[in-house]
Amino acid sequence: MDTMTYTTQSIWTWWIAMYLFFGGLGAATLSVSFLTDMYCRPHRKLVLWGALSGVVMLAISSAVLFAHLLHHTAVIYVLNPLVLFYQPHAWIAWGTQFILWMMVWGMLYALPYMRETPLFMRMPLVGALLQMRFVAWLSGCCLKRRRIVGWLATINGIGTTVYTGLLIQSFPAVALWHNPGVPLLFTVSAFSTAFAYLLLLLNVFIPDENDQDIRHRYERFDVILIATELVILFAFFNYTLSGSESGYRSAQLLWHDFGWLVGFIGFGLLVPFFLELKGVIKGWGSRLPTVAAALLVLMGGYMLRHYFMYAGVYAYPW
């Protein structure tokens, strides 16, 4: 009878956690910003802050992955849209296309607002670019078809958040990752961190009193998403304990780790859940609890991905 042994993987570490975190957060931030602008009420500042910071986060995410490619020229192949026909089973190709077109449609959606903002028009290079005849025509087209552009960006954003989980799920040797719940967990977490990030923007960088309705709506959505995340994690706990040796060892690593239990579950999920729940039910006298909750959710979003990488276990033989 074979003896089962195990070892934790050491190739995908903090850098892939950064890639997954910023990729999911950036894409979800763009999607939520545009949906708010389209269906709640027009919000120039929210779109500009959300779109520009979201694109920066997606760029950071892509740069982290590119820096760790064994063959840097391989990026040429995954940037080509035809790769989806040549390698349709490669999730990294789908993810790259989602991220690329998310950034393109995201900037096009923000373009009319950029032309309305004096700060951008006064910038030496940016202002000259925005005043070009072609850019003015393109801005007008995007303005007329705002919802089409917004939905093209949103669809690619949702695709990016789901892809981060599908990428991890595609490794059958690690039971913690090769689980149908991983894409759902990472998608829920991405949108939870996006609502938290936008709450941070609205309370610190865009402190407009007229945004109270949007803030409350974001808090309600985030409370629901955090509760959903807790349910999914409970299902993960039961799945890993009753599954393979690899999953069982991953569960041992996670649920006996002080950082996972107190740092992520405690301060990354439970504390912000109750802070936001109190804000939804009775409200707060100041913005500080909401800001604290948002920062904790963002911390928890990274810790989830960090510990998922840390607890990836190969079991021998498989």
Side-chain angles (χ1 to χ4, degrees):
M1 183 176 178
D2 292 326
T3 302
M4 296 297 292
T5 58
Y6 73 95
T7 182
T8 53
Q9 67 85 30
S10 57
I11 299 175
W12 280 21
T13 54
W14 65 268
W15 64 270
I16 197 71
M18 294 284 288
Y19 168 65
L20 297 170
F21 174 68
F22 280 115
L25 173 59
T29 296
L30 284 157
S31 299
V32 174
S33 301
F34 297 162
L35 289 172
T36 302
D37 186 68
M38 288 189 291
Y39 294 103
C40 291
R41 60 183 171 85
H43 201 306
R44 180 176 57 88
K45 290 183 179 179
L46 183 68
V47 168
L48 288 176
W49 276 88
L52 296 177
S53 59
V55 166
V56 168
M57 286 186 277
L58 288 171
I60 293 172
S61 171
S62 303
V64 169
L65 181 66
F66 174 73
H68 286 81
L69 286 177
L70 293 177
H71 302 287
H72 289 138
T73 54
V75 74
I76 298 172
Y77 300 103
V78 292
L79 286 175
N80 182 359
L82 295 177
V83 72
L84 301 181
F85 297 98
Y86 300 142
Q87 297 289 338
H89 58 278
W91 287 118
I92 193 74
W94 283 93
T96 302
Q97 291 301 312
F98 281 137
I99 291 173
L100 175 63
W101 290 105
M102 171 88 251
M103 295 169 74
V104 170
W105 292 114
M107 290 307 297
L108 286 175
Y109 189 90
L111 182 59
Y113 281 144
M114 292 177 70
R115 283 177 50 83
E116 295 174 7
T117 306
L119 175 64
F120 289 104
M121 297 302 288
R122 288 197 302 265
M123 289 182 179
L125 294 176
V126 176
L129 183 64
L130 291 174
Q131 291 174 24
M132 290 176 61
R133 183 176 299 177
F134 171 74
V135 175
W137 171 83
L138 185 62
S139 175
C141 291
C142 293
L143 191 60
K144 291 178 184 176
R145 297 165 181 82
R146 175 169 291 275
R147 289 199 175 183
I148 295 175
V149 176
W151 271 108
L152 286 170
T154 300
I155 289 168
N156 280 281
I158 295 171
T160 301
T161 60
V162 177
Y163 145 75
T164 59
L166 290 172
L167 178 65
I168 297 299
Q169 190 198 12
S170 63
F171 291 84
V174 180
L176 178 66
W177 300 352
H178 193 62
N179 181 326
V182 171
L184 179 61
L185 176 63
F186 276 33
T187 302
V188 170
S189 174
F191 277 94
S192 174
T193 54
F195 281 117
Y197 175 71
L198 290 172
L199 278 169
L200 198 63
L201 289 183
L202 289 171
N203 282 282
V204 178
F205 299 100
I206 321 173
D208 188 343
E209 292 298 328
N210 296 327
D211 292 333
Q212 196 66 24
D213 58 328
I214 296 177
R215 293 194 198 106
H216 281 312
R217 191 168 297 178
Y218 282 1
E219 279 186 313
R220 284 195 294 269
F221 278 124
D222 202 26
V223 165
I224 294 170
L225 289 172
I226 293 174
T228 305
E229 200 171 340
L230 287 166
V231 172
I232 297 171
L233 286 167
F234 178 75
F236 259 85
F237 176 68
N238 284 282
Y239 169 82
T240 51
L241 283 181
S242 59
S244 64
E245 180 76 9
S246 169
Y248 178 76
R249 296 299 179 182
S250 291
Q252 281 191 320
L253 286 172
L254 289 176
W255 298 98
H256 291 85
D257 189 288
F258 188 80
W260 170 267
L261 289 173
V262 177
F264 171 57
I265 299 294
F267 286 97
L269 291 178
L270 291 175
V271 172
F273 173 80
F274 287 113
L275 285 174
E276 290 185 340
L277 184 62
K278 198 269 183 182
V280 169
I281 295 173
K282 293 185 177 181
W284 291 100
S286 72
R287 297 178 180 180
L288 185 60
T290 303
V291 171
L295 290 171
L296 289 173
V297 170
L298 289 169
M299 178 197 75
Y302 172 75
M303 291 183 73
L304 168 66
R305 291 152 181 82
H306 178 87
Y307 276 101
F308 249 66
M309 299 303 102
Y310 158 74
V313 169
Y314 298 117
Y316 301 95
W318 59 76

